[in-house]
C-alpha cells in the first residue's frame, strides 16, 4: 500500500502550484467514474502537446558536447560499425528516463527529495556530494564546448576563458525566461534542439555519407578490440547521473494529482510518448554527427587525433570554405548543444541541491550557487588548457570517467524506489520490468566499470597511487552494496521524525 506523506509548508518543492502547466482534461464531474475504472482518458493530441516539454529538456543530456565528441570519435575511428550500439544505448537511456518520470509522477516528488527521506544523513550527504561532482564534471564539458564554439565563431578573437564567462551569463538570461512560465523556457530549448538538427543535417547533406553503410551499421552488431574504447564511450555518455535526477523533477511541471490513479496513468502515457519522440530526435542528431565523421575521416591517419576542439578545422580543411563554411556550421551546432546543456545542468543543480538539503530559497540565489560550483573549476580548466587541444581531449577522458563513477549513485536509488510498493503504490514496476531494469543497470555499471579499470590501471603509475586506487575501489564497492541492501530492506528512517514535525506544525 502506498504511503501518503503530504509536503510540509517548510519543504522544498520542484515547482510551486502557480508555476505548473494546467492540463485541460475531462470535467471534474467525470473524475469519479474514471477513477473507479482506473483507466486513463482517451488519447488527445491537445493533451500530448500540453505534456510535451520535459522529455525534450531531458534529451539535451543525450546531445551535450561530451556526447558529440564521443560520436565524432566513434565515427572517425570505428566508421559506421557502432551505430547499432548508439541505437541500443539510446533505448537503454529511454528505459532509465521513463523510470525516473514514473517516480516523479506517481509520488509527486523527485529523486533527490526521496533520497533525502530514504537514506540516513551520512548516506544522503554522500549521494548529494556525488551528484554535485557528477554535475560539475558534466558542466565543465558543456561550458568548454560552448566556449570552443564561441572561439571558432569569433575567429579566435574570444579566448576560451572569455567564452566560459559568456556561457555562464547566457545561462542566467535563459533561466530568467522561467519567470514568464515553464512553457517559454521549453520553447527556447525547442529552438536550440532545432538549431542542432538543422546544423548537423546540413553537414550530413554536405558530406553525403553512405546510406547503405549507415543501415548496415544500425542493423548488424559489430565490435572489435580496436573499437572497444569508443563503444564504452558511447554507452558511458548516454546515462548522465544528473539527468536521472532532473527528469523526475521536470515531470512535476504539469498539474497531475498523484492521488488519482487515472490521472497518473494518463500522465505516464503522454510522458512515455513524448520522451520516446525526444530521444528519437536525439538519436537522429547523434547519427548525423557519427556518419559525417565516418565518411570524412574513417581509415585516415588523423582519425585518432580528432576531438571536439579541432574537429571543425579538420572538416574545413577537407571540404573547403564554400558559401556556408562547414567550420561555422559545426560551431553553431556545438554552441546550441553547449548552451542548452549548461541550462539544463543549472536546472538539475537546483533540484539536486534543493531536494537533498531541503533548501528553500529564491531560485536565482540557488541558481547562482549551483552555477558557481561549476564555473569556478571550468574557468581554471579554460585558463590551463586553452593552448592545447590534446590536453583538452585528455581532460575529457578524465571527465568521462568521473561520470562513470557516479552512475550507480543515481541509478541504484532510482531502481530501489520505483520497485517499492510503499512508495509507488500500484505504480510499482512489475517483476519482469524490475528484472530487465536491473540487468540493464548492471550492464551499464559493468561497462563503465571497465572504463574505470582501464583508465586507472594506466593512471596508477606508482605504488602510492595504486594503494589509493585500491582503497577507493573497496569503499566504492561497499557503498554500492549498501545502496542495494537498502532497497531490499526498505525502512524509511525519517518517517517517524517527519510525522512528529507535521504534528508540531499542526499544533502551531
Amino acid at each position: 500500500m502506498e504511503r501518503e506523506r503530504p509536503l510540509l509548508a517548510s519543504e522544498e518543492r520542484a515547482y510551486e502550484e502557480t508555476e505548473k502547466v494546467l492540463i485541460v482534461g475531462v470535467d471534474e464531474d467525470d473524475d469519479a467514474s474514471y477513477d473507479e475504472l482506473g483507466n486513463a482518458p482517451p488519447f488527445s493530441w491537445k493533451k500530448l502537446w500540453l505534456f510535451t516539454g520535459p522529455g525534450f529538456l531531458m534529451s539535451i543530456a543525450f546531445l551535450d558536447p561530451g556526447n558529440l565528441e564521443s560520436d565524432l570519435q566513434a565515427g572517425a575511428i570505428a566508421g559506421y560499425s557502432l551505430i547499432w550500439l548508439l541505437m541500443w544505448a539510446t533505448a537503454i537511456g529511454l528505459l532509465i528516463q521513463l523510470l525516473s518520470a514514473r517516480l516523479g509522477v506517481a509520488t509527486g516528488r523527485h529523486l533527490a527529495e526521496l533520497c533525502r527521506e530514504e537514506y540516513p544523513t551520512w548516506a544522503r550527504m554522500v549521494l548529494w556530494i556525488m551528484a554535485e561532482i557528477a554535475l560539475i564534471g558534466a558542466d565543465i564539458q558543456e561550458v568548454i564546448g560552448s566556449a570552443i564554439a564561441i572561439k571558432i565563431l569569433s575567429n579566435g578573437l574570444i579566448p576560451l576563458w572569455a567564452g566560459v564567462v559568456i556561457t555562464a551569463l547566457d545561462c542566467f538570461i535563459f533561466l530568467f525566461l522561467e519567470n514568464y512560465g515553464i512553457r517559454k523556457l521549453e520553447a527556447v530549448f525547442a529552438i536550440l534542439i532545432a538549431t542542432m538538427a538543422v546544423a548537423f543535417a546540413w553537414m550530413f547533406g554536405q558530406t553525403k555519407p553512405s546510406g547503405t553503410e549507415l543501415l548496415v551499421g544500425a542493423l548488424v552488431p559489430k565490435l572489435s578490440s580496436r573499437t572497444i574504447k569508443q563503444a564504452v564511450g558511447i554507452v558511458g555518455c548516454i546515462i548522465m547521473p544528473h539527468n536521472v535526477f532532473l527528469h523526475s523533477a521536470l515531470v512535476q511541471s504539469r498539474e497531475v494529482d498523484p492521488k488519482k490513479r487515472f490521472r497518473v496513468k494518463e500522465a505516464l502515457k503522454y510522458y512515455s510518448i513524448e520522451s520516446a519522440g525526444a530521444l528519437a530526435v536525439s538519436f537522429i542528431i547523434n547519427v548525423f554527427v557519427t556518419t559525417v565523421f565516418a565518411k570524412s575521416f574513417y581509415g585516415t591517419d588523423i582519425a585518432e587525433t580528432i576531438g571536439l576542439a579541432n574537429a571543425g578545422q579538420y572538416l574545413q580543411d577537407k571540404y573547403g570554405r564554400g558559401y556556408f563554411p562547414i567550420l561555422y556550421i559545426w560551431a553553431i551546432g556545438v554552441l546550441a548543444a553547449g548552451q542548452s546543456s549548461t541550462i539544463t545542468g543549472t536546472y538539475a543543480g537546483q533540484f539536486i541541491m534543493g531536494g537533498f538539503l531541503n533548501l528553500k530559497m529564491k531560485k536565482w540565489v540557488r541558481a547562482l550557487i549551483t552555477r558557481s560550483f561549476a564555473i569556478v573549476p571550468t574557468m581554471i580548466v579554460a585558463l590551463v588548457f586553452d593552448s592545447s587541444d590534446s590536453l583538452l581531449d585528455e581532460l575529457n577522458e578524465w571527465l568521462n570517467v568521473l561520470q562513470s563513477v557516479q552512475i550507480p549513485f543515481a541509478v541504484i536509488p532510482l531502481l530501489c524506489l520505483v520497485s517499492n510498493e510503499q512508495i509507488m503504490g500500484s505504480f510499482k514496476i512489475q517483476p519482469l520490468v524490475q528484472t530487465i531494469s536491473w540487468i540493464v543497470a548492471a550492464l551499464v555499471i559493468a561497462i563503465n566499470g571497465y572504463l574505470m579499470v582501464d583508465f586507472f590501471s594506466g593512471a596508477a603509475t606508482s605504488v602510492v597511487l595504486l594503494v589509493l586506487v585500491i582503497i577507493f575501489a573497496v569503499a566504492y564497492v561497499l557503498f554500492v552494496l549498501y545502496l542495494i541492501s537498502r532497497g531490499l530492506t526498505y525502512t524509511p528512517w525519517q518517517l517517524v521524525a517527519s510525522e512528529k514535525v507535521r504534528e508540531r506544525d499542526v499544533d502551531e
Side-chain angles (χ1 to χ4, degrees), residues 23 47-54 254 256 266-267 270-271 274:
I23 302 299
K47 282 191 181 181
L48 178 60
W49 171 249
L50 291 171
F51 277 105
T52 296
R254 272 58 179 172
V256 178
E266 177 185 55
Y270 288 117
Y271 279 137
E274 184 237 4

Side-chain angles (χ1 to χ4, degrees), residues 27-104:
D27 295 334
E28 291 300 320
D29 293 340
D30 295 333
D31 280 6
S33 60
Y34 275 112
D35 201 22
E36 193 174 308
L37 294 172
N39 296 319
F43 178 82
S44 164
W45 286 103
K46 182 178 182 181
K47 282 191 181 181
L48 178 60
W49 171 249
L50 291 171
F51 277 105
T52 296
F56 282 90
L57 268 68
M58 168 272 295
S59 73
I60 294 296
F62 292 69
L63 297 168
D64 70 354
N67 273 283
L68 297 183
E69 182 159 39
S70 175
D71 292 338
L72 68 89
Q73 289 175 342
I77 296 171
Y80 300 86
S81 65
L82 295 180
I83 295 177
W84 67 273
L85 184 61
L86 176 61
M87 180 176 67
W88 283 106
T90 304
I92 290 173
L94 176 61
L95 172 62
I96 298 297
Q97 294 304 149
L98 288 179
L99 294 178
S100 177
R102 189 181 190 88
L103 180 71

Side-chain angles (χ1 to χ4, degrees), residues 351-364:
F351 292 131
I352 289 170
M353 178 177 287
F356 275 110
L357 304 183
N358 193 26
L359 294 178
K360 194 163 182 69
M361 60 178 64
K362 292 181 178 180
K363 287 189 175 182
W364 71 267

Side-chain angles (χ1 to χ4, degrees), residues 54-56 58-59 62 90-107 239 243-249 251 264-265 267-279 414-415 418 424 427-429 433 437 440:
F56 282 90
M58 168 272 295
S59 73
F62 292 69
T90 304
I92 290 173
L94 176 61
L95 172 62
I96 298 297
Q97 294 304 149
L98 288 179
L99 294 178
S100 177
R102 189 181 190 88
L103 180 71
V105 174
T107 64
I239 308 296
N243 209 36
V244 179
F245 288 97
L246 176 64
H247 200 198
S248 64
V251 294
V264 174
K265 290 184 70 173
L268 291 176
K269 176 177 68 176
Y270 288 117
Y271 279 137
S272 298
I273 296 171
E274 184 237 4
S275 297
L279 291 193
L414 172 66
L415 293 183
V418 295
M424 299 293 292
F427 291 98
K428 162 193 170 184
I429 58 175
V433 180
S437 300
V440 166

Side-chain angles (χ1 to χ4, degrees), residues 230-303:
Q230 285 67 46
V232 171
I234 286 174
V235 178
C237 287
I238 287 296
I239 308 296
M240 304 290 281
H242 73 271
N243 209 36
V244 179
F245 288 97
L246 176 64
H247 200 198
S248 64
L250 290 175
V251 294
Q252 294 175 47
S253 61
R254 272 58 179 172
E255 189 172 358
V256 178
D257 188 350
K259 295 179 182 178
K260 294 180 179 178
R261 176 181 170 81
F262 79 96
R263 290 295 190 194
V264 174
K265 290 184 70 173
E266 177 185 55
L268 291 176
K269 176 177 68 176
Y270 288 117
Y271 279 137
S272 298
I273 296 171
E274 184 237 4
S275 297
L279 291 193
V281 172
S282 75
F283 171 69
I284 292 170
I285 293 174
N286 283 318
V287 168
F288 284 156
V289 176
T290 302
T291 53
V292 164
F293 284 87
K295 169 64 186 298
S296 304
F297 303 108
Y298 176 57
T300 65
D301 294 335
I302 62 173

Side-chain angles (χ1 to χ4, degrees), residues 276-336:
L279 291 193
V281 172
S282 75
F283 171 69
I284 292 170
I285 293 174
N286 283 318
V287 168
F288 284 156
V289 176
T290 302
T291 53
V292 164
F293 284 87
K295 169 64 186 298
S296 304
F297 303 108
Y298 176 57
T300 65
D301 294 335
I302 62 173
E304 299 278 352
T305 64
I306 297 177
L308 193 68
N310 59 19
Q313 190 59 54
Y314 279 127
L315 287 169
Q316 184 74 3
D317 293 341
K318 188 174 182 67
Y319 294 101
R321 296 186 177 276
Y323 189 71
F324 293 107
I326 196 169
L327 171 65
Y328 297 123
I329 300 298
W330 165 253
I332 289 170
V334 173
L335 181 61

